Amino acid sequence: MRRRLALAAPLLLLMAWKIAPLATGERTLFLRDVLNTHLALRATLAEGLSEGTLPLVDPLRAGGQPLAGNPNAVAFYPDNLLLLVASPLWQLNAHFWLHWLLALAAATWLGRAWGLGREGALAAGAAYAFSGLMLSQLNLYNGVAPVALAPALAAALLESGETRTRRRGLLATGLLLALALLGGDPILAGLGLLAGAALAVGRHGRALPAGRLAFALAAGVLLALPQLGEMLRILGESYRGFWGYDAAAQARTAPDPRAAIDLVLPLFFGRPDLGQVWGSAYFGGFPPLYFSLAPGWLALTLAACGVARERRAVVAALLVAIGLAAAFSGGTPWGGALAALPAGGLFRFPVKLALLAALGGSLLAGSGLERALSGERRRALGWGLAFAAVAGLALWALLSSGVATAPGALFTEGLAGAALAAERTRWAGIALISALAAGLAALGWRFLPERTRGPALLALHAATQLLLLAPLAPTDEAAFYRGRAPVADLLPAGARLAHAGVGELFGPGWGTPGEAPDRRTVWLARRAHAELHPFAGRPLGFAYELDIAPDGLDAFVTHAVARGMKHFSDERRLAVLEALGVERLLLFRELEGEAARRRARLEATTEAEGAPLHVYALPGALPRAALLGTVRYAPTMNAALEAVFASGFDARALAVVAGEGEPRLAPPGRVELLVDEAERVEAEVDSVAGGVLVLARAHLPIW
């Protein structure tokens, strides 16, 4: 045990140093959707769990959108129980750092199950836990769990083929598959299962107990059935289920093969913590899903030493080749072939297939260290580290000299001038740090005592990765996000809001803070909190209309309305908001034209992190329940949207209803809401001629 602790201690100390501010609650992660999407979901779940329920619906988002059925909400995952004893912000961060620790343990277990010794297995764990793929998950709440669990699932499958560990392996296979499916991304869970199956077949062949494995996998799916069943209930009428993903759309989101340069120069395409990520042309026109996949130069050198002709190493190498080819398949024939597979449309982001490469590569890195320590590849590893150091220094000298210019064939986005010079300086720094790390590793491999070579090399690799990939997981003071935004005091309690900074409902314009101290994206997160974006307002009880999630699993009609109104005049936008029952509009500019004179009333203007924020009242908002006598029928979705978007549409007088029939004109009636809860409504109505009861709720098939 002392030997094991001595081996792992440097890695654990580095992780503890990084985790401590999050574990104490002093700091919080904030990049991407960490706060913007997932913090508010944690608050809704916490409220439901405190009442002994698991909410099907998030009542404060876009008229009530699916919660339990949306796997990105991670509603059924066990660590949500922490919400019963801790704040949503603390649990949000704990989900990340707990799974980062788990990734190290899981990949180490995979190395042992694959047949590596202690040091080789720990090398596999270090290569995986400190890889760009894993560290990129620290800004993806719904990806970190299945990626961290993937090595453990593969290890359980490997143990299922051993007589001595078969029972444990079969039990763990079922449990880990269930956890991976509940972890937020069924695609990543399936890829982890695929990689594990390939490794198990490569190691055990026909010795695998196929029948019992099938039973264990079925049991795992059964355990995850609450999540899968709820997802299937909402999928058909969601934006993604209605629209689907064809092969062409899938292929467009695959990174270009040239984006693979990031494997050698980490964060080649910019720093996400500064909001400076360029090169979207290499990622299908979008920001990259994973800001970096860099394994690190030391891990690459170890993996090269681990390549061998034995069957298990060949399978691991094939996983690397297939994973990288699929991940960087944009604009290639094999990318189109992948998209054309029967389930190819599910891979909205083919870069997720890099998980296969990370699993295979980590095993090769562990094997490389083990072979080097045994003497088989001792000199090869030393020469490989020396070559990496010399190559890095040469690249640094070339980039620093100003002689190197951007090849026109590579930088298609026209990076030039001062921007190119700044990037070239940053690349030179990355090359220099990598070269120095490789040089230190080569010296340590040559002169350190044999027992300390392995741990020292792994500690150096982990420290270098944390230094170079630190922009993947920037943090901010948690106390700021626990505070109440001042603008909240200007709004009625429980008001229904529309925020122009969400989804660019009122056109582009929300972005750079007014007077930020520097260029870091932390000031965007702070401004979003100060301007009462949904993650700051929903925990206070405010409801936000048209606050659609980027996953495409919200109701189709909600997506259609949010997309359509972006192209309207302010007057027509306000008509749509009134039809949705919006009582207050938060806008970063003044309203234009008739909208400011007739429909809205400016209540206040405040400053949020140096930028103006206007609060408008919409007195014409539809009440939460109305009984309308005038009805117009729409046979198709487009006809319904056309009627609602038409100039002069008055939601207080006209109900547009799906179906066919003659328009009817009758006096309205009276309605009184008796019960208005997240999943239940009771109303008392009184009408002479009948009519249509209109509720300010999104239509969901689970009502």
Side-chain angles (χ1 to χ4, degrees):
M1 182 59 68
R2 286 196 299 271
R3 174 66 173 156
R4 292 176 182 175
L5 288 175
L7 287 172
L11 301 180
L12 293 175
L13 287 173
L14 283 169
M15 297 179 89
W17 167 74
K18 191 74 174 178
I19 287 169
L22 302 176
T24 60
E26 178 186 349
R27 312 280 296 178
T28 178
L29 298 163
F30 64 85
L31 198 61
R32 237 178 195 160
D33 293 336
V34 172
L35 297 180
N36 196 38
T37 296
H38 292 285
L39 179 57
L41 291 173
R42 301 303 103 206
T44 303
L45 280 170
E47 184 177 355
L49 290 173
S50 68
E51 298 172 355
T53 63
L54 188 62
L56 292 178
V57 175
D58 184 349
L60 302 181
R61 190 169 69 81
Q65 292 296 325
L67 183 69
N70 188 330
N72 296 310
V74 200
F76 292 89
Y77 201 72
D79 69 359
N80 285 322
L81 294 175
L82 292 172
L83 292 169
L84 296 173
V85 296
S87 70
L89 185 62
W90 190 89
Q91 187 274 338
L92 174 90
N93 286 284
H95 184 76
F96 286 105
W97 58 261
L98 284 172
H99 284 93
W100 186 32
L101 288 170
L102 178 61
L104 177 63
T108 302
W109 177 23
L110 173 59
R112 292 293 280 170
W114 197 60
L116 296 177
R118 290 189 186 126
E119 290 190 83
L122 187 61
Y128 189 81
F130 293 92
S131 66
L133 175 75
M134 186 62 221
L135 294 175
S136 286
Q137 308 305 314
L138 297 183
N139 57 66
L140 295 168
Y141 190 95
N142 58 309
V144 66
V147 171
L149 290 166
L153 179 56
L157 285 164
L158 282 164
E159 288 200 349
S160 299
E162 297 280 356
T163 304
R164 181 173 54 86
T165 57
R166 180 162 294 166
R167 288 186 178 181
R168 182 179 68 184
L170 290 170
L171 178 61
T173 295
L175 291 174
L176 288 166
L177 177 60
L179 283 173
L181 289 171
L182 297 177
D185 193 326
I187 299 299
L188 287 172
L191 289 173
L193 178 62
L194 177 64
L199 292 169
V201 170
R203 181 159 175 77
H204 300 299
R206 295 183 180 180
L208 283 171
R212 278 177 282 181
L213 260 180
F215 180 81
L217 295 174
V221 173
L222 189 63
L223 284 173
L225 200 57
Q227 174 70 83
L228 299 177
E230 287 301 319
M231 182 180 68
L232 292 175
R233 286 216 293 160
I234 70 165
L235 191 59
E237 294 193 32
S238 69
Y239 182 80
R240 183 180 296 190
F242 185 90
W243 214 231
Y245 286 95
D246 59 14
Q250 185 271 350
R252 283 197 299 270
T253 60
D256 187 286
R258 290 169 290 181
I261 192 174
D262 169 79
L263 298 174
V264 180
L265 285 177
L267 293 172
F268 178 82
F269 293 99
R271 289 185 52 169
D273 61 329
L274 298 180
Q276 297 174 337
V277 179
W278 61 279
S280 62
Y282 304 106
F283 301 95
F286 304 96
L289 177 67
Y290 301 147
F291 287 122
S292 180
L293 294 175
W297 286 19
L298 302 185
L300 284 172
T301 306
L302 287 174
C305 292
V307 175
R309 293 184 179 181
E310 61 177 327
R311 186 169 64 177
R312 66 173 189 172
V314 170
V315 173
L318 283 174
L319 284 178
V320 173
I322 293 171
L324 292 181
F328 298 103
S329 60
T332 64
W334 64 87
L338 173 68
L341 292 173
L346 295 174
F347 289 94
R348 185 160 67 116
F349 295 103
V351 72
K352 291 179 181 180
L353 286 153
L355 176 61
L356 304 180
L359 290 168
S362 65
L363 290 174
L364 290 177
S367 178
L369 181 62
E370 191 167 85
R371 290 171 183 272
L373 290 172
S374 69
E376 182 182 350
R377 297 287 174 86
R378 187 188 305 270
R379 296 186 64 186
L381 179 57
W383 282 111
L385 293 171
F387 173 79
V390 172
L393 289 174
L395 182 59
W396 166 74
L398 187 66
L399 290 168
S400 301
S401 66
V403 175
T405 58
L410 178 62
F411 301 110
T412 58
E413 289 206 342
L415 195 64
L420 175 59
E423 287 295 275
R424 192 165 54 222
T425 300
R426 188 173 64 84
W427 299 333
I430 294 171
L432 179 60
I433 292 172
S434 300
L436 292 176
L440 283 174
L443 291 174
W445 188 252
R446 175 67 178 82
F447 295 109
L448 284 177
E450 188 168 342
R451 290 188 62 181
T452 62
R453 289 177 183 175
L457 188 61
L458 297 183
L460 181 60
H461 163 69
T464 304
Q465 287 291 92
L466 288 180
L467 175 63
L468 293 177
L469 298 180
L472 295 178
T475 64
D476 191 17
E477 296 176 10
F480 181 86
Y481 302 97
R482 296 192 192 101
R484 180 183 175 93
V487 68
D489 297 327
L490 305 177
L491 303 169
R496 301 174 76 89
L497 311 177
H499 200 300
V502 178
E504 297 185 342
L505 296 177
F506 277 68
W510 191 92
T512 305
E515 297 179 6
D518 53 48
R519 299 179 298 171
R520 291 178 296 161
T521 54
V522 64
W523 303 114
L524 291 178
R526 289 196 167 207
R527 177 181 167 185
H529 183 273
E531 287 192 347
L532 206 68
H533 274 236
F535 75 89
R538 278 163 51 195
L540 301 178
F542 296 112
Y544 288 77
E545 292 303 326
L546 301 180
D547 175 24
I548 58 174
D551 50 47
L553 291 175
D554 290 343
F556 176 81
V557 176
T558 309
H559 270 265
V561 172
R563 288 173 177 266
M565 69 175 290
K566 291 181 182 182
H567 309 290
F568 293 172
S569 65
D570 283 357
E571 171 72 8
R572 294 182 70 196
R573 287 171 176 148
L574 292 187
V576 173
L577 295 183
E578 288 177 345
L580 295 172
V582 172
E583 299 162 329
R584 295 293 187 276
L585 168 65
L586 304 182
L587 190 58
F588 45 77
R589 60 171 174 81
E590 294 185 359
L591 285 169
E592 299 172 351
E594 290 294 313
R597 288 188 289 272
R598 294 199 306 113
R599 284 193 180 272
R601 180 178 71 251
L602 179 61
E603 285 200 333
T605 297
T606 184
E607 290 285 323
E609 294 295 309
L613 179 66
H614 306 291
V615 180
Y616 285 94
L618 276 63
L622 189 73
R624 303 199 178 192
L627 191 63
L628 306 183
T630 303
V631 180
R632 175 177 172 182
Y633 292 95
T636 65
M637 178 74 72
N638 286 341
L641 291 173
E642 184 179 351
V644 173
F645 289 160
S647 180
F649 170 75
D650 185 358
R652 288 177 166 269
L654 171 64
V656 180
V657 180
E660 297 186 2
E662 293 295 323
R664 55 171 293 178
L665 181 62
R670 181 190 64 83
V671 59
E672 179 184 358
L673 275 179
L674 304 179
V675 177
D676 186 16
E677 299 174 349
E679 299 167 21
R680 185 165 172 261
V681 172
E682 288 184 13
E684 184 181 88
V685 298
D686 183 16
S687 175
V688 176
V692 173
L693 175 63
V694 180
L695 301 174
R697 297 292 185 98
H699 172 70
L700 301 176
I702 58 178
W703 290 122

